[in-house]
Amino acid sequence: MASDLGQIAQFLDATLDPVKYKKAEADLKREEKKPQFALQLLKIVATENLEPKIRLSGALCFKNFIRHNYVDEDRNYKLPIDEVNTIKQELIGLMIACPATIQTQLGEAISIIADSDFWDRWDTLVADLVSRFSPDNFKINNGVLEVAHSIFVRWRPLYRSDELYMEINHVLNAFAVPFLNLLSATDQQIAAHANDKVALKGYFNTMSLLIKVFYDLSCQDMPPQFESNLEHISTLLHKYLTYENPLLATEDDSEAGVVETVKADICEALELYVNKFDDDFGRYTQVFISSAWSLLSTIGPETKYDNLVSKALHFLTAIAGTAQHSGAFNDENVLGQVVQKVVLPNVALRESDIELFEDEPIEFIRRDLEGSDTDSRRRAATDFLRQLQGRFEQLVTNVAGRYINYYLDQGKTDWKHKDTAISLFLSVAAKGAVTAAQGVRTVNPLVNVVDFFQQNIANDLISDAGVEPIAKVDAIKYLYTFRSQLTREQWQAAFQPLIQNMGSSNYVVYTYAAICVERLLFLTNDAGARVFGRVDIEPFAKDLLDHLFKLVEKENSPAKMQENEFLMRCIMRVLIVMNTGISGYVDSILDHLVGITNIIKTNPSNPRFYYYHFEALGAVVSCGSSGGTSSLEDRLWGPFNQIITEDVNEFMPYVFQLFAKLLELNPSGALPNYYQALVPPLMLPTLWETRGNVPALTRLLAAIIPRASASIVAENQVQPILGIFQNLLAGKKTEQNAFDLLESIVVSINRAAIEPYFKDILSLLFTKLQSNPSESFKLRFVRFYHLVSAKVETGLGADFFVSQVDLVQHNLFVQIYLSIVLPTSELLVRPIDRKLAVVSFAKSLGDSAAFAQRYVKGWRFTCEAMLKMLVNPPKVTSGAGEEMVNEADVDDIGFGLGFTPLNTCKKGTRDDFPEIQDMEAWVRQYFADANTRHNGAIAGYMDRLTNEGKAGIARFVS
């Protein structure tokens, strides 16, 4: 039965109500399982008499539905083909007719569909778009170009490939010439409507989209159609780079007008052409350089020009990076003009910056420090000066140095001038990128960053009286930027003043101090050792944590409490570095973390904050309890169970990981009642439907199985667990999780309970092996074989595996063993896996009747494979201490619908034979015992080997 249009509209409206949204989302989940749900959503979006908010909610719902329900991992449609075709037929026209806010959502949906279908399964799209171009209707053209841009922009970050170029050429053949015609037609319409504000703005929006699509079409290579029209295109681009019309000026100083947007788009395209196509485009660049210089020299400080200034500076940075054009800057007078007219105005503080500092401090911090200011004036001016310095280091350093000294002198009476001097010094002192992990790694050898700090900045860090908050921030940011350049001793001197600044009443100052402390604690030397570690912070750690928690808890509304992720990241880092040193006050830490959890779960709004929050909890779980895991379980069960009960989707993957870690830390003994209550919900498909839950749920269930194996068998839960395994195995992205679950079953559940299902398990695995499996799948299959083969003592072993394969197909084992198991075993990399393979091979050689009698050649091949592995015997070392902390900077982790692993409670490597330490000695002893068990038969099998094999095995069999 198809969904009811009016009811869906009501549900969409209810999702916007903070009280009703949970139930409404559940209602929509049920509706989406009905036929033609996507088409019903499109009808809602197209219904003009519905409220705009409902239509927008419908577009958003449609986009998310398409993201998860359009195709599977192998590009097979999950929707009926007639529904797919209808969606593609209706979507373009609908998007063109919709308001801009809805166009954005539908454009993203089109991009998702294009990822799957364009161009081989949607080869009519480009012709459809071109057929809709109008010589004079900007509304239609803007809609068409929005669609085109949403599809073509996908090419920008991609690496070159034959498939990509085939797709681009398909587009160019149909699109490039009509596109150039529309570019000229739009230029004519702008000229014809120069005095009509409404029409002019519409055509300028068209021009902006045309320039964006121009970039898209050129991002991989210059289209031949553009190359043959380059002079005409250049003339048109220059015309609009210098275009002025008072009708399009905006009165709001913070709102960029469409003219500024077009000029910024042009500068971005110019940067691309200078970087990629300078041989062809170089002869046209001089006029653009002059115009960009003129624009930057005369433009005002208003924030509405920020993006344009930034893009113009990026263009000049590209010019300065070319051998052909950079020579024009190799002159002291020219560089003086560059610094005075372009760099200084754009690194200096503006009133708008100070207002942001005071009124929206968290936004100021994110823009300034996180790298989100990539398009800020200050960052762009800095990059431009650094590019010049890379070519003319001595000259740029000398010219900038004069201005730095001048502004330092002026800064004695005006702190803003000192801020300018420090910004300019940062521009010339740092070489290369400022990395998140290390700050500045390489500095300009013509300056001394430590001396500059001590002489000009240190007093602002230390003094409390008469120092402006922004001056404090400058001092802390300087330490943050050059943290790799300071010695441990210098950091020891700076650390106490840095911590004292956390006591500042100013939001930005104490946050910057927390950021700097966190990055210092993350800092490692070239050998990977901490520059500043537990011994350095132990005297301050408890007070530091108490103060940081106090700052986080200062606000008690969920949104405000989780606003400042930098404070929580500092808490996380202190806990990681302190490791077991927190055991004396772990209860206090848990009081804070649990209290924060209980507040923010009602409205999880900042993914970074709650990621760091759960990493902090992970650090406590992994290192913090001297009383074992039971005390932690007692503290955490209540709040964590509420998260599951209340269906707080954002937190559940983290909670499952923490529960799993608690179980893994104590893998033996009966399963606590807490977890017994979790088992039935874990069997339900609803939790597994959310993709972000799957890795954590798998890990939790795999941790539960060893401690609940008896009750799982008694309560007939083996089959439901294997049903979960089957579903996981069906998806490419979850097949590794399937093996995690299967291995836990094989290790923990007795043979009698799993034998009735083993044939079906193998059938599923063999089916996947026949359909072009990934290397990772083959490796996991081979590891699974070795696990079963090695577990002779539990009733498994190679003979059990062979007998089960025979139930699938007689003698299929030979094919599997020779084509998959033996060659793939050589590719096992982890010592733990190679060790398992050696144990498996040795037990097959010593105790398998099948290899002794049925597979005589197989015995020889197995022996040769084992000897190869024993040339370099695998050594398994147990992980220790602080391995968990430095693999990846959490800034690199993507947040959203996917799964985010917690580094602080990663799953340890399972060694199924920890008692075996010396592999060679174990193999020697095993063969001796097996030879005795079988009355000397093993020694007799030596005749099956080549002379080389006999020589190799001689040291293991006497």
Side-chain angles (χ1 to χ4, degrees):
M1 179 180 156
S3 301
D4 176 74
L5 205 65
Q7 194 170 46
I8 296 175
Q10 288 177 4
F11 294 153
L12 290 169
D13 191 25
T15 61
L16 306 174
D17 185 325
V19 177
K20 301 176 182 175
Y21 81 97
K22 281 267 186 189
K23 182 179 182 303
E25 287 175 354
D27 290 334
L28 284 172
K29 275 284 181 192
R30 283 194 297 275
E31 289 295 321
E32 72 179 33
K33 292 180 169 56
K34 296 179 181 178
Q36 301 195 332
F37 176 71
L39 297 180
Q40 296 287 64
L41 288 174
L42 289 182
K43 286 177 185 175
I44 287 169
V45 173
T47 305
E48 294 185 4
N49 60 2
L50 281 174
E51 286 184 79
K53 65 175 185 175
I54 296 176
R55 295 177 67 196
L56 178 58
S57 181
L60 182 62
C61 185
F62 174 78
K63 177 188 74 174
N64 290 329
F65 178 80
I66 290 297
R67 189 191 306 281
H68 298 293
N69 299 284
Y70 189 68
V71 289
D72 63 19
E73 293 158 345
D74 298 314
R75 289 183 71 209
N76 299 312
Y77 291 123
K78 295 166 76 171
L79 298 175
I81 191 64
D82 59 333
E83 194 169 336
V84 167
N85 291 334
T86 305
I87 288 170
K88 288 195 283 195
Q89 287 163 12
E90 299 296 327
L91 195 50
I92 306 301
L94 176 58
M95 178 175 167
I96 289 168
C98 280
T101 51
I102 293 175
Q103 279 187 343
T104 302
Q105 299 303 326
L106 294 182
E108 290 180 28
I110 290 170
S111 186
I112 294 165
I113 293 171
D115 274 336
S116 158
D117 287 9
F118 189 72
W119 61 283
D120 55 333
R121 298 198 299 196
W122 202 2
D123 57 0
T124 59
L125 173 62
V126 180
D128 183 15
L129 292 174
V130 169
S131 72
R132 295 173 188 266
F133 279 150
S134 164
D136 55 9
N137 188 322
F138 60 77
K139 188 176 188 308
I140 290 175
N141 289 334
N142 291 350
V144 174
L145 290 168
E146 284 281 7
V147 175
H149 178 50
S150 71
I151 296 166
F152 306 158
V153 74
R154 297 157 40 252
W155 302 333
R156 293 193 184 190
L158 299 181
Y159 290 108
R160 178 173 186 151
S161 69
D162 290 344
E163 293 79 10
L164 175 61
Y165 271 62
M166 194 179 299
E167 180 180 320
I168 293 173
N169 284 331
H170 165 78
V171 170
L172 291 173
N173 287 337
F175 194 84
V177 172
F179 169 83
L180 289 172
N181 293 337
L182 183 59
L183 188 64
S184 297
T186 304
D187 174 40
Q188 292 165 14
Q189 292 295 336
I190 287 172
H193 293 84
N195 298 314
D196 181 345
K197 182 174 181 177
V198 173
L200 189 61
K201 188 174 181 181
Y203 287 118
F204 248 87
N205 282 325
T206 309
M207 183 59 72
S208 176
L209 285 163
L210 284 163
I211 304 301
K212 287 181 173 71
V213 172
F214 173 75
Y215 189 113
D216 297 336
L217 297 172
S218 306
C219 66
Q220 292 289 332
D221 203 352
M222 192 194 303
Q225 298 90 338
F226 293 0
E227 192 173 354
S228 57
N229 287 277
L230 202 51
E231 184 173 358
H232 170 67
I233 293 170
S234 299
T235 302
L236 190 143
L237 292 178
H238 184 257
K239 174 181 177 179
Y240 288 100
L241 183 62
T242 56
Y243 184 92
E244 296 294 340
N245 190 324
L247 281 181
L248 295 177
T250 56
E251 295 179 6
D252 186 344
D253 286 348
S254 63
E255 181 192 355
V258 69
V259 173
E260 288 78 50
T261 301
V262 167
K263 289 181 179 182
D265 293 333
I266 290 169
C267 288
E268 194 170 13
L270 292 174
E271 181 190 1
L272 174 75
Y273 268 64
V274 168
N275 284 330
K276 294 197 74 160
F277 315 123
D278 197 46
D279 288 347
D280 295 306
F281 187 65
R283 61 183 181 273
Y284 303 112
T285 54
Q286 191 55 52
V287 66
F288 289 109
I289 295 170
S290 301
S291 297
W293 177 263
S294 174
L295 184 152
L296 288 167
S297 303
T298 57
I299 205 162
E302 294 82 5
T303 55
K304 67 179 178 181
Y305 299 124
D306 284 2
N307 189 45
L308 171 55
V309 169
S310 173
K311 299 299 185 189
L313 282 165
H314 287 326
F315 164 59
L316 288 184
T317 303
I319 290 291
T322 64
Q324 182 179 346
H325 306 295
S326 61
F329 296 103
N330 190 14
D331 178 276
E332 190 168 351
N333 291 328
V334 172
L335 283 173
Q337 294 288 304
V338 166
V339 173
Q340 183 180 344
K341 292 188 174 182
V342 174
V343 177
L344 283 170
N346 291 305
V347 299
L349 272 176
R350 299 170 296 170
E351 283 305 312
S352 59
D353 298 321
I354 297 170
E355 286 173 13
L356 192 67
F357 183 97
E358 293 170 349
D359 300 337
E360 297 183 67
I362 193 66
E363 186 62 25
F364 177 91
I365 294 163
R366 287 177 183 148
R367 287 188 190 182
D368 187 53
L369 196 62
E370 248 192 318
S372 60
D373 67 335
T374 304
D375 290 326
S376 75
R377 292 185 182 222
R378 180 174 279 196
R379 176 62 58 86
T382 296
D383 290 345
F384 179 40
L385 193 59
R386 282 187 187 153
Q387 182 73 276
L388 291 170
Q389 183 189 291
R391 290 194 169 268
F392 319 113
E393 188 168 70
Q394 182 78 57
L395 196 56
V396 171
T397 305
N398 290 343
V399 169
R402 290 200 295 271
Y403 287 97
I404 291 167
N405 290 332
Y406 171 78
Y407 280 96
L408 281 173
D409 189 52
Q410 296 294 307
K412 292 172 184 175
T413 55
D414 184 344
W415 63 269
K416 292 179 189 174
H417 287 314
K418 185 175 179 180
D419 175 86
T420 300
I422 293 170
S423 295
L424 194 56
F425 182 83
L426 287 169
S427 299
V428 296
K431 295 181 76 169
V434 182
T435 66
Q438 303 283 339
V440 171
R441 294 300 307 272
T442 310
V443 297
N444 182 344
L446 304 175
V447 299
N448 188 315
V449 297
V450 176
D451 285 353
F452 187 86
F453 177 78
Q454 291 172 338
Q455 293 166 16
N456 303 296
I457 301 176
N459 190 58
D460 291 338
L461 181 73
I462 297 164
S463 299
D464 289 324
V467 179
E468 284 287 331
I470 290 183
K472 283 272 186 197
V473 168
D474 284 342
I476 297 167
K477 186 178 176 182
Y478 191 96
L479 288 175
Y480 165 88
T481 303
F482 293 113
R483 57 190 179 275
S484 291
Q485 305 304 315
L486 273 64
T487 64
R488 176 184 165 82
E489 291 69 31
Q490 288 166 334
W491 266 119
Q492 284 174 328
F495 192 67
Q496 189 70 42
L498 194 57
I499 287 183
Q500 287 170 350
N501 277 288
M502 280 198 206
S504 168
S505 60
N506 184 278
Y507 188 105
V508 183
V509 172
Y510 69 66
T511 302
Y512 263 75
I515 290 165
C516 193
V517 166
E518 189 276 328
R519 289 290 83 186
L520 168 61
L521 296 180
F522 185 80
L523 190 64
T524 57
N525 60 24
D526 291 339
R530 292 191 186 288
V531 171
F532 217 71
R534 173 173 165 177
V535 69
D536 299 296
I537 65 164
E538 199 144 17
F540 319 105
K542 185 177 185 306
D543 291 340
L544 179 57
L545 286 166
D546 284 343
H547 184 66
L548 285 164
F549 279 122
K550 183 180 173 184
L551 292 172
V552 170
E553 293 161 351
K554 192 159 60 172
E555 303 281 355
N556 57 16
S557 74
K560 290 299 287 183
M561 181 175 278
Q562 60 194 305
E563 173 186 81
N564 194 331
E565 67 266 22
F566 304 105
L567 297 176
M568 186 51 74
R569 184 166 70 169
C570 191
I571 290 169
M572 172 200 78
R573 190 66 59 196
V574 173
L575 292 173
I576 287 171
V577 172
M578 282 301 296
N579 203 279
T580 54
I582 63 172
S583 58
Y585 44 92
V586 69
D587 287 338
S588 168
I589 292 168
L590 281 173
D591 286 341
H592 289 295
L593 291 173
V594 168
I596 292 167
T597 304
N598 289 336
I599 290 173
I600 66 174
K601 72 176 181 179
T602 60
N603 180 23
S605 56
N606 184 348
R608 285 194 179 281
F609 180 94
Y610 58 74
Y611 166 73
Y612 298 132
H613 172 70
F614 281 104
E615 283 283 20
L617 277 163
V620 175
V621 164
S622 296
C623 310
S625 177
S626 56
T629 57
S630 60
S631 61
L632 287 170
E633 287 165 350
D634 290 341
R635 290 297 308 274
L636 296 175
W637 170 258
F640 283 5
N641 188 48
Q642 275 188 304
I643 286 168
I644 297 170
T645 304
E646 295 169 15
D647 203 22
V648 186
N649 290 320
E650 297 88 343
F651 289 2
M652 291 207 314
Y654 297 126
V655 166
F656 295 142
Q657 288 178 76
L658 290 165
F659 273 151
K661 185 64 177 180
L662 285 165
L663 283 170
E664 290 158 2
L665 288 169
N666 184 19
S668 58
L671 189 70
N673 291 335
Y674 299 140
Y675 297 103
Q676 291 281 7
L678 271 182
V679 175
L682 291 183
M683 301 292 122
L684 300 173
T686 47
L687 278 178
W688 297 85
E689 287 172 0
T690 303
R691 181 179 289 175
N693 284 346
V694 168
L697 279 172
T698 304
R699 180 179 171 187
L700 176 56
L701 190 51
I704 286 173
I705 289 169
R707 293 181 62 176
S709 55
S711 63
I712 285 171
V713 173
E715 295 171 26
N716 296 316
Q717 291 172 329
V718 173
Q719 190 169 4
I721 292 173
L722 287 172
I724 293 170
F725 156 76
Q726 182 175 356
N727 288 335
L728 295 176
L729 191 68
K732 277 187 178 175
K733 291 182 179 176
T734 54
E735 61 190 20
Q736 298 294 310
N737 304 120
F739 277 109
D740 291 340
L741 199 56
L742 184 58
E743 286 186 10
S744 182
I745 293 167
V746 166
V747 167
S748 311
I749 305 292
N750 63 62
R751 170 176 162 171
I754 59 172
E755 187 167 1
Y757 308 105
F758 211 87
K759 169 182 173 268
D760 295 330
I761 291 170
L762 291 178
S763 294
L764 292 169
L765 295 174
F766 294 161
T767 300
K768 288 277 281 191
L769 283 172
Q770 290 172 338
S771 55
N772 194 25
S774 63
E775 282 302 309
S776 60
F777 180 87
K778 289 196 283 188
L779 286 165
R780 286 304 299 266
F781 170 79
V782 168
R783 180 186 150 79
F784 169 67
Y785 165 77
H786 286 309
L787 184 63
V788 175
S789 169
K791 289 288 181 180
V792 176
E793 295 78 11
T794 62
L796 302 177
D799 287 348
F800 172 74
F801 198 95
V802 170
S803 69
Q804 294 296 311
V805 175
D806 278 342
L807 295 177
V808 179
Q809 181 183 318
H810 185 69
N811 237 17
L812 178 61
F813 179 78
V814 175
Q815 181 184 336
I816 297 290
Y817 195 70
L818 295 181
S819 63
I820 304 289
V821 174
L822 288 178
T824 308
S825 294
E826 294 180 27
L827 304 177
L828 293 170
V829 173
R830 297 192 311 165
I832 203 86
D833 295 336
R834 294 174 67 79
K835 173 182 175 179
L836 181 62
V838 170
V839 174
S840 159
F841 285 146
K843 291 187 176 181
S844 296
L845 295 169
D847 281 301
S848 166
F851 279 92
Q853 299 154 19
R854 184 173 168 185
Y855 304 126
V856 174
K857 285 185 181 177
W859 197 96
R860 187 188 98 203
F861 297 149
T862 301
C863 188
E864 290 167 352
M866 183 189 75
L867 290 172
K868 268 188 189 176
M869 286 193 163
L870 287 171
V871 170
N872 292 301
K875 293 179 182 175
V876 176
T877 56
S878 58
E882 298 180 322
E883 283 187 337
M884 65 185 182
V885 291
N886 280 337
E887 292 82 4
D889 182 4
V890 285
D891 284 338
D892 297 331
I893 290 171
F895 300 99
L897 298 171
F899 170 72
T900 303
L902 294 174
N903 278 325
T904 49
C905 57
K906 287 188 304 183
K907 185 177 181 180
T909 307
R910 189 187 77 238
D911 186 352
D912 292 289
F913 297 95
E915 70 279 6
I916 302 174
Q917 295 298 314
D918 184 332
M919 285 306 308
E920 292 197 14
W922 178 84
V923 171
R924 195 176 297 113
Q925 186 62 49
Y926 190 86
F927 277 173
D929 294 345
N931 201 39
T932 302
R933 279 196 300 275
H934 300 292
N935 301 316
I938 308 303
Y941 298 153
M942 300 298 116
D943 292 340
R944 301 176 181 180
L945 299 173
T946 62
N947 290 335
E948 185 182 355
K950 289 174 184 175
I953 200 68
R955 59 197 174 109
F956 299 107
V957 180
S958 53

